[in-house]
Amino acid sequence: MSRVNPYEPIKAVIREVIEETPTIKTFRLELDEPMEFATGQFIQLTVPGVGECPFTPSSKPGKSRNMDVTVMKVGTATEVLHRKTSGDMLAVRGPYGNGFPLDFLKNKELLIVGGGCGMAPLRSLLYEIIENKQDYPSVSFLYGCRTPEDILYKGSFPEWKKEIDFERTVDKASEEWKESEGVVTKLFENVKVNLKKCVAVIVGPPVMMKFATMELEKKGVSDDRIIVSLEKNMTCGFGKCRHCLCGPYYVCKDGPVFFYKDVKDLPDVWD
Amino acid sequence: MIQRINTDRLKQLLKDWAEVHDVFVPDEQGRLVRFEEDGEINWNIVPVWGGLKEFIYPPRNTVAGSKEDSGKLTVVVGARDCDVRALVNVFDRIMLEKDPADTVYKNRREKIRIVTVDCSSPADTCFCTAVGGKPYCDKGFDLNLSFIGDKVLIETGTDGGQALLKGLNSKEPENDEIDRKDSIRDTSTRKVKANFDSDYKSGRFGDRISGNSEEKYWEKKSEDCMQCGGCNFCCPTCYCNVLNEQSSGREIVKVLQWDSCQFPGYARVAGGANPRKELWMRFRHRYYCKFSLMPGEFDIAGCTGCGRCIQVCPGKIDIRDTIKGLL
């Protein structure tokens, strides 16, 4: 925590806005001061005068004044945010939460499963993995979206494909689409990593995570080898507002990244 | 140290404090209001609205951006053990001890002096003894007042309390006065115990409150809930808040505002998912938070038995009945 007052954010300027899909944009920010975050941690982004929302940065983890935040237009604040352009002021608090357990992931076979906008936090994990390839010898990345249009970071795909095993699928293909069609769990059939040994990291909409975890368990991935990132209403970000409580956990502090075994029996985990 | 003065001298003491500090006392209805020389003070009534919480953790609180600060001390006279137990065991721990500390809370906390009062006539809704409390305060106060007839025994709890008594001409209490104080406390304790002679820790209460079980029970119990949040707002342990973004121009302004877990949108996310969509789920969550989560986090229940939620509930829901039904 860089600031004495935890509610005081760091101002940031939008340097570039990248239109990823019709409803998703990546905002390339320059912060007034550098902020250090680990992949999977989240920040609270202030849209001045409108609201504040939690996002996991999609840029390379580490300490920097530059940060990418990929935002889907779903509510009041993100609606206004989507109208912002280069030069507009925002503000950032954080980072908060635990992030992905990199020490646990290192030197294991990894199966990473992303759905829709869940690709945003996974891009920052991808940067980490590609930059430290020696620590991650075997990685399979599966990414599912509704349509080809909804796919994030389309331009980076060829580059990533060179670095790791990377498969994409869409629920509903277009005529030009040459890759898989169907829900992401279909790709589990021919996955290259050994499901009896691998660690799975799943990030996506709740319904996708629910079915992906169920399917993986059926295929022999035990619940202590499945890692999920939960989305709850995180207002303060540091365990003082109680909004994000899920069972006995503060999702903002104890999470947002959890081992599936710790949260699978909580009644409201996917709601 | 315990000193004795008479009630007239207490009035003078309040006047002296009010000249330099912001002083609040309980009015006829038991609200803590600014002390005025000709105002009525009711030392017997248990404050319902305007409890101690509001002074340290106001309903709307600017936590980033321009703040006004008079620099004065706030002296709250008339807080009870149920207030102070919540403040010390829940608020101080979450806001100060758990990292990161809330610096705005810290500043406010340092500028407050708490003068507690023994409960000489507990309300029918009081049940502090069932959740580990007492109708009198023995720690966490700066000064404590015990009224016996036209005399007041003042116990000093801190240096800050001692400073408020500087220059006070007082006497040491006689033994029989101490005895009378203790006897009033015993009588009050018996009365409170008679209001609710159970312990939430007994039976299966903790187990039955967690998980998604007992749906029928919670549906029934929440039938009369109007989702007004009154129970949360008057509760001395409830601190749920929502951070409002109120920046204009280049200045970032954030206002922390009380929130209620009974509101439908409390846990909803922008995408629409809501872990507690149904009223009974939110209703149950309040009990789960107070009697299962908070005991784990703070070593005390998130209920100090003040009974305020019983008094303010427009649906006449009695927390004691809800607990009893699960014991």
Side-chain angles (χ1 to χ4, degrees):
Chain A
M1 223 65 60
S2 62
R3 301 243 151 160
V4 179
N5 178 354
Y7 293 108
E8 195 95 50
I10 297 171
K11 282 181 187 157
V13 176
I14 300 174
R15 288 295 177 218
E16 195 186 344
V17 182
I18 302 155
E19 222 167 302
E20 307 281 0
T21 81
T23 55
I24 301 174
K25 287 180 179 176
T26 294
F27 295 85
R28 194 147 274 177
L29 308 180
E30 185 183 334
L31 279 60
D32 276 6
E33 304 166 22
M35 183 181 279
E36 184 169 12
F37 77 94
T39 170
Q41 283 193 300
F42 70 98
I43 52 115
Q44 290 281 1
L45 183 68
T46 294
V47 184
V50 181
E52 205 182 38
C53 343
F55 297 105
T56 302
S58 54
S59 46
K60 207 173 89 175
K63 188 172 184 175
S64 173
R65 281 181 62 194
N66 301 311
M67 180 184 283
D68 286 358
V69 185
T70 302
V71 179
M72 191 200 279
K73 191 161 69 171
V74 284
T76 319
T78 50
E79 177 90 31
V80 176
L81 183 56
H82 266 242
R83 292 202 295 268
K84 299 270 179 197
T85 54
S86 197
D88 286 344
M89 186 192 85
L90 302 172
V92 177
R93 295 191 286 128
Y96 302 120
N98 54 2
F100 294 113
L102 297 180
D103 287 339
F104 180 79
L105 300 182
K106 279 176 189 165
N107 298 310
K108 299 225 171 64
E109 282 191 64
L110 295 186
L111 173 64
I112 304 174
V113 188
C117 210
M119 186 62 214
L122 291 178
R123 183 172 79 161
S124 115
L125 179 61
L126 254 185
Y127 283 129
E128 163 77 26
I129 287 173
I130 290 173
E131 193 159 298
N132 303 286
K133 263 180 108 173
Q134 69 288 353
D135 294 329
Y136 307 96
S138 171
V139 182
S140 281
F141 201 117
L142 312 177
Y143 179 35
C145 279
R146 275 179 310 167
T147 70
E149 203 181 33
D150 296 314
I151 288 179
L152 289 181
Y153 318 125
K154 297 178 184 81
S156 306
F157 179 63
E159 204 180 304
W160 290 338
K161 184 94 180 144
K162 273 187 246 157
E163 300 281 351
I164 55 166
D165 171 43
F166 198 133
E167 299 292 328
R168 302 191 297 186
T169 182
V170 293
D171 298 351
K172 200 175 175 316
S174 61
E175 285 195 6
E176 300 80 46
W177 184 251
K178 302 277 183 295
E179 297 164 55
S180 304
E181 184 174 4
V183 290
V184 76
T185 48
K186 256 183 71 182
L187 298 180
F188 294 166
E189 302 300 331
N190 302 311
V191 76
K192 292 198 177 109
V193 290
N194 179 354
L195 293 176
K196 298 277 177 287
K197 276 166 60 187
C198 76
V199 174
V201 178
I202 309 174
V203 187
V207 62
M208 170 264 180
M209 290 203 282
K210 184 177 172 177
F211 286 106
T213 45
M214 259 166 48
E215 208 53 41
L216 284 177
E217 272 200 300
K218 270 192 224 156
K219 295 205 173 306
V221 187
S222 55
D223 58 10
D224 57 350
R225 288 186 287 120
I226 300 177
I227 288 161
V228 294
S229 180
L230 297 187
E231 184 196 53
K232 293 288 165 204
N233 181 342
M234 294 182 285
T235 299
C236 67
F238 41 83
K240 302 231 191 290
C241 79
R242 293 185 95 77
H243 280 87
C244 67
L245 277 173
C246 183
Y249 302 115
Y250 287 96
V251 174
C252 71
K253 271 179 94 159
D254 304 319
V257 179
F258 289 95
F259 280 96
Y260 182 52
K261 72 174 165 63
D262 295 327
V263 294
K264 65 189 279 195
D265 294 327
L266 300 175
D268 42 11
V269 63
W270 301 129
D271 291 318
Chain B
M1 189 176 80
I2 302 184
Q3 308 173 59
R4 185 196 72 205
I5 57 174
N6 62 36
T7 46
D8 288 342
R9 184 66 189 87
L10 175 66
K11 188 101 188 239
Q12 183 57 46
L13 194 58
L14 294 171
K15 266 169 67 180
D16 295 346
W17 291 346
E19 280 184 19
V20 277
H21 311 310
D22 290 323
V23 180
F24 295 86
V25 292
D27 73 357
E28 270 301 304
Q29 281 87 42
R31 285 180 298 232
L32 290 170
V33 296
R34 190 173 287 276
F35 169 78
E36 279 170 33
E37 221 181 305
D38 50 1
E40 288 293 325
I41 303 177
N42 187 343
W43 295 116
N44 288 322
I45 196 165
V46 178
V48 178
W49 289 112
L52 182 60
K53 167 167 102 171
E54 287 188 25
F55 295 91
I56 298 175
Y57 193 69
R60 287 177 58 77
N61 189 8
T62 303
V63 290
S66 48
K67 286 179 279 273
E68 286 166 34
D69 185 358
S70 69
K72 282 184 177 178
L73 282 185
T74 299
V75 184
V76 180
V77 193
R80 307 295 173 120
D81 185 58
C82 47
D83 294 308
V84 174
R85 266 165 44 83
L87 188 73
V88 171
N89 293 291
V90 177
F91 275 79
D92 285 353
R93 283 167 78 177
I94 193 80
M95 301 300 166
L96 301 177
E97 288 174 25
K98 301 209 173 173
D99 191 49
D102 179 335
T103 49
V104 177
Y105 178 90
K106 185 166 181 279
N107 290 342
R108 214 180 276 273
R109 184 74 173 93
E110 282 165 1
K111 284 200 184 140
I112 201 147
R113 297 293 175 267
I114 300 163
V115 183
T116 45
V117 174
D118 287 3
C119 300
S120 54
S121 45
D124 294 340
T125 47
C126 291
F127 63 102
C128 56
T129 50
V131 281
K134 306 175 271 30
Y136 53 90
C137 200
D138 58 13
K139 52 177 181 279
F141 57 84
D142 293 295
L143 294 172
N144 180 69
L145 309 180
S146 309
F147 288 88
I148 44 168
D150 61 351
K151 305 264 184 352
V152 192
L153 304 190
I154 307 183
E155 186 177 352
T156 305
T158 62
D159 291 345
Q162 184 61 47
L164 287 173
L165 299 181
K166 205 175 162 197
L168 180 73
N169 252 332
S170 63
K171 294 204 168 68
E172 270 191 41
E174 306 289 340
N175 280 341
D176 68 309
E177 287 167 335
I178 298 281
D179 290 347
R180 268 189 74 194
K181 178 196 80 174
D182 291 342
S183 139
I184 292 169
R185 288 180 167 188
D186 288 346
T187 309
S188 293
T189 305
R190 277 197 300 278
K191 180 163 189 296
V192 173
K193 275 193 174 149
N195 285 343
F196 187 40
D197 198 6
S198 298
D199 186 339
Y200 80 95
K201 281 183 258 180
S202 64
R204 299 169 296 157
F205 187 72
D207 297 334
R208 294 185 66 179
I209 209 163
S210 44
N212 246 342
S213 54
E214 313 289 348
E215 178 176 338
K216 286 255 160 356
Y217 181 78
W218 294 108
E219 273 179 352
K220 181 93 195 115
K221 281 291 163 189
S222 60
E223 266 174 3
D224 295 326
C225 174
M226 298 177 186
Q227 309 177 57
C228 66
C231 51
N232 298 119
F233 298 148
C234 67
C235 177
T237 70
C238 279
Y239 61 82
C240 279
N241 61 70
V242 60
L243 190 60
N244 277 327
E245 167 48 41
Q246 307 212 327
S247 308
S248 66
R250 283 196 57 82
E251 195 198 14
I252 297 288
V253 180
K254 300 218 177 272
V255 178
L256 208 64
Q257 192 170 318
W258 290 358
D259 199 359
S260 161
C261 57
Q262 304 304 293
F263 294 164
Y266 171 86
R268 187 172 58 214
V269 299
N274 188 347
R276 292 183 290 280
K277 283 181 206 64
E278 306 292 333
L279 168 60
W280 69 266
M281 295 172 174
R282 297 192 289 279
F283 188 85
R284 187 202 53 201
H285 181 78
R286 179 167 156 258
Y287 288 83
Y288 173 56
C289 177
K290 293 191 171 305
F291 298 102
S292 181
L293 293 179
M294 282 194 169
E297 285 179 79
F298 304 114
D299 306 318
I300 71 160
C303 169
T304 57
C306 70
R308 289 183 176 100
C309 57
I310 307 168
Q311 296 194 33
V312 304
C313 181
K316 300 200 177 346
I317 296 168
D318 190 324
I319 188 170
R320 293 170 296 187
D321 293 340
T322 314
I323 298 170
K324 264 186 220 156
L326 281 184
L327 288 177

